Amino acid sequence: MPGDERGSAPLEFIVVGLLLLVPLVYLIASLGLIQSHALGVESGARHLARAIAMAPDAATADARADAILQTTASEYGISSGSIDVGFACVPAGGACPRAGATMLVSVAARVPLPLVPPVLGLDHIASVPVSATAVHKVSRFWGAE
C-alpha cells in the first residue's frame, strides 16, 4: 500500500553521511600534513646543500646549517628532534664538504598522523616517513683564506 511506505531517508542520509564523511576528512587532514612535511624536508635539503656548499669554511657552514634547520622546522611544523640529516661527498674519501666535491644532503623526518595518542609507541607506529635529497657542487674556494 502506498500509504504505508514511509522511509527514514533523513536518518539514513545522516548515518551514511557520517560514516563516509569522517574518514574522508581524516584522510584529507592526514594527506595535508604529510604533504607539508614532504615540502619541508625537500626545502630543507635544498637550502642546506646550497648554504653549506657556498660557505667559506666549516664554522660558517655549521652556523648556516643550524639556522636553516631551525627555520625549516618551525616554518613547516616539523619537530626539530625528528629531523635526520646526512651528508656525503662524491668522490668518496676525505673530509666532507671539501673543495670541488659534489655534496649530497639527505633530510628525513617522520610525520605523526593526527589524533594518534603517544601511548605504547602508537605515535611512532602510525607515522609516515618522508625524505629528500639534494645535490650541490662545493665551491672550489671552500676553506680558502
Side-chain angles (χ1 to χ4, degrees), residues 45-142:
R46 187 169 23 100
H47 289 302
L48 277 173
R50 183 178 301 131
I52 293 171
M54 295 299 176
D57 57 16
T60 306
D62 284 341
R64 288 180 183 177
D66 289 340
I68 288 170
L69 282 176
Q70 293 301 322
T71 303
T72 300
S74 66
E75 184 174 335
Y76 290 95
I78 303 171
S79 170
S80 59
S82 72
I83 298 176
D84 295 324
V85 180
F87 298 96
C89 284
V90 177
C96 186
R98 63 180 179 279
T102 301
M103 184 177 61
L104 288 93
V105 177
S106 299
V107 178
R110 294 193 72 84
V111 183
L113 295 178
L115 304 175
V116 176
V119 176
L120 302 174
L122 289 177
D123 57 337
H124 184 69
I125 294 170
S127 62
V128 178
V130 289
S131 63
T133 303
V135 178
H136 206 285
K137 181 84 170 170
V138 179
S139 171
R140 61 188 171 121
F141 300 113
W142 171 267

Side-chain angles (χ1 to χ4, degrees), residues 14-35:
I14 291 171
V15 171
V16 172
L18 284 177
L19 287 176
L20 295 176
L21 186 63
V22 171
L24 184 63
V25 169
Y26 184 81
L27 179 67
I28 291 170
S30 298
L31 289 176
L33 192 60
I34 292 168
Q35 181 66 27

